[in-house]
Amino acid sequence: MVTKTVDLRSDTVTKPTEAMRAAMADAEVDDDVLCCDPTAQRLETEVAKITGKEAGLFVPSGTMGNLISVLVHCEVRGSEVILGDNCHIHIYENGGISTIGGVHPRTVKNNEDGTMDIDLIEAAIRDPKGALVYPTTRLICLENSHANTGGKCLSVEYTDKVGELAKKHGLKLHIDGARIFNAAVALGVPVDRLVQAADSVSVCISKGLGAPVGSVIVGSESFITKARRLRKTLGGGMRQVGILCAAALVALRENVGKLESDHKKAKILAEGLNKIRGLALNVASVETNIIYFDINEGSNMTVQKLCKNLEEHGILVMPETSTRVRLVVHHQISENDVHYALSCFQRIMMGTPSENGS
């Protein structure tokens, strides 16, 4: 019988804290579609201040935040955006920039550290002389931290170089900053400096920060004015949204400081997994709260069997491929949870039964 659950599927699985629930219950609210919700305004102002941008806008999800941002920058259908071939916008957001916005994605290979080579980005920019036959490049997108490469952090130096390249060619730069706070903490760089080169940023509050719902997109006043209209078009205009924004304000106040601990726990988990026969991962590649490991070729264990056995002992993980598994640490995973999970991995890989909750 399962008596203990350690949910490592994602940092989106966290439950609202008591402080969040209390803030939601007491939230001062009004109609946000009419731009009157005071708690939403406080959140938007706070995130804009943290990121060093003029204004912010609360949206229901990071996917909507990225979609709105791309559509604001690429107002003309048939525009083109340069982005990584392994980035979240390209892979996990239903192709919305194309199906809804008529924006053409031009992918550049993501390196193992989440970057794209600067020269390859520049080579992907369309020559305006070919406008008769080519899409028009208008935007470059980065992701920081980069989830599919294991939560890798893009340095401020790299981001600045991409920003300089964008300006050189008259393009805009958008950063998918779903886990930008994780990157800032890991790099030891303030968020506003890390995104200084960006024209817009999408900041998720419901991943590492642990709020139940939402993201905030930030940019110039004119960018946010256009973004607000698009949010309404996409069905993201909500009324007394301050109830959700109140929890997000608690997350900003209480959970940013916990990210460093999350990263340390992820490193402990990675180091422990690396010692288990049959599993393979690069411990040095774990920079934030995301871990990928592979099951060695020739092992009697499969991803499907491993996930099933782990679930029987209350350990929830995310299968990625037939040989790869993803784990994500968050503020509701304790160090004891990490050690319990490691003991379950060890016993299962050795073929030894374990008792849940021990």
Side-chain angles (χ1 to χ4, degrees):
M1 179 180 176
V2 175
T3 59
K4 180 182 181 72
T5 299
V6 179
D7 196 340
L8 297 165
R9 291 173 297 166
S10 178
D11 46 9
T12 60
V13 302
T14 56
K15 308 297 188 292
T17 63
E18 289 303 315
M20 289 179 190
R21 293 178 187 273
M24 293 169 77
D26 294 337
E28 184 183 2
V29 298
D30 205 326
D31 190 330
D32 187 53
V33 174
L34 301 180
C35 304
C36 296
D37 190 294
T39 307
Q41 290 174 350
R42 283 202 300 275
L43 174 65
E44 291 162 351
T45 300
E46 180 65 15
V47 178
K49 179 181 177 182
I50 290 170
T51 55
K53 305 303 179 187
E54 291 179 0
L57 182 71
F58 180 81
V59 293
S61 69
T63 294
M64 184 181 284
N66 286 327
L67 176 59
I68 288 173
S69 298
V70 172
L71 298 192
V72 170
H73 294 308
C74 300
E75 292 181 289
V76 179
R77 292 182 69 84
S79 297
E80 189 166 73
V81 54
I82 296 172
L83 71 177
D85 67 343
N86 201 20
C87 76
H88 197 280
I89 293 176
H90 183 58
I91 297 176
Y92 297 118
E93 300 185 7
N94 297 113
I97 62 172
S98 298
T99 58
I100 297 173
V103 178
H104 187 260
R106 185 161 168 86
T107 60
V108 172
K109 178 179 170 51
N110 276 121
N111 299 314
E112 291 186 0
D113 63 358
T115 64
M116 299 175 281
D117 290 346
I118 301 289
D119 58 343
L120 293 181
I121 297 175
E122 186 159 30
I125 299 171
R126 303 288 188 176
D127 186 341
K129 295 176 182 177
L132 179 65
V133 292
Y134 296 138
T136 301
T137 309
R138 299 188 189 278
L139 177 66
I140 302 171
C141 289
L142 299 177
E143 180 181 338
N144 199 11
S145 64
H146 196 279
N148 267 8
T149 56
K152 296 292 197 312
C153 303
L154 307 189
S155 70
V156 67
E157 294 81 9
Y158 173 79
T159 305
D160 283 351
K161 287 179 182 177
V162 177
E164 290 165 8
L165 178 66
K167 283 186 172 61
K168 174 184 173 183
H169 291 274
L171 309 179
K172 299 296 185 181
L173 173 61
H174 172 70
I175 295 179
D176 175 1
R179 296 182 176 89
I180 194 67
F181 283 95
N182 290 87
V185 168
L187 294 169
V189 177
V191 173
D192 60 345
R193 179 64 189 90
L194 196 53
V195 302
Q196 183 176 302
D199 296 284
S200 60
V201 188
S202 175
V203 180
C204 189
I205 312 295
S206 61
K207 289 189 170 72
L209 299 187
V213 178
S215 291
V216 177
I217 50 177
V218 294
S220 66
E221 292 279 3
S222 61
F223 170 87
I224 292 299
T225 297
K226 294 176 181 178
R228 188 179 298 278
R229 185 177 182 186
L230 273 169
R231 184 185 68 174
K232 187 70 169 69
T233 303
L234 295 170
M238 297 180 286
R239 301 299 177 175
Q240 285 69 41
V241 76
I243 293 172
L244 299 177
C245 294
L249 283 165
V250 173
L252 283 172
R253 184 173 67 245
E254 296 187 354
N255 291 346
V256 174
K258 298 176 182 177
L259 295 177
E260 184 175 4
S261 175
D262 293 345
H263 299 171
K264 288 178 179 177
K265 286 178 286 190
K267 186 69 83 170
I268 292 170
L269 182 56
E271 290 169 347
L273 291 170
N274 196 43
K275 295 175 183 176
I276 297 175
R277 186 174 180 179
L279 304 182
L281 72 154
N282 180 5
V283 175
S285 72
V286 179
E287 298 180 2
T288 53
N289 64 326
I290 300 175
I291 302 166
Y292 284 98
F293 71 84
D294 292 287
I295 296 178
N296 288 333
E297 187 177 350
S299 172
N300 291 327
M301 183 61 67
T302 65
V303 165
Q304 183 179 9
K305 182 179 178 182
L306 176 62
C307 293
K308 182 176 182 296
N309 287 347
L310 286 168
E311 187 173 357
E312 289 173 355
H313 296 91
I315 310 297
L316 305 180
V317 300
M318 184 76 75
E320 282 289 314
T321 68
S322 60
T323 61
R324 173 163 283 204
V325 175
R326 187 185 82 160
L327 311 174
V328 184
V329 175
H330 47 80
H331 76 98
Q332 290 176 341
I333 297 294
S334 68
E335 194 166 329
N336 283 339
D337 291 334
V338 169
H339 290 298
Y340 170 66
L342 285 171
S343 71
C344 291
F345 271 100
Q346 178 72 46
R347 289 169 182 259
I348 290 168
M349 293 301 295
M350 291 177 62
T352 306
S354 64
E355 183 179 348
N356 179 267
S358 61

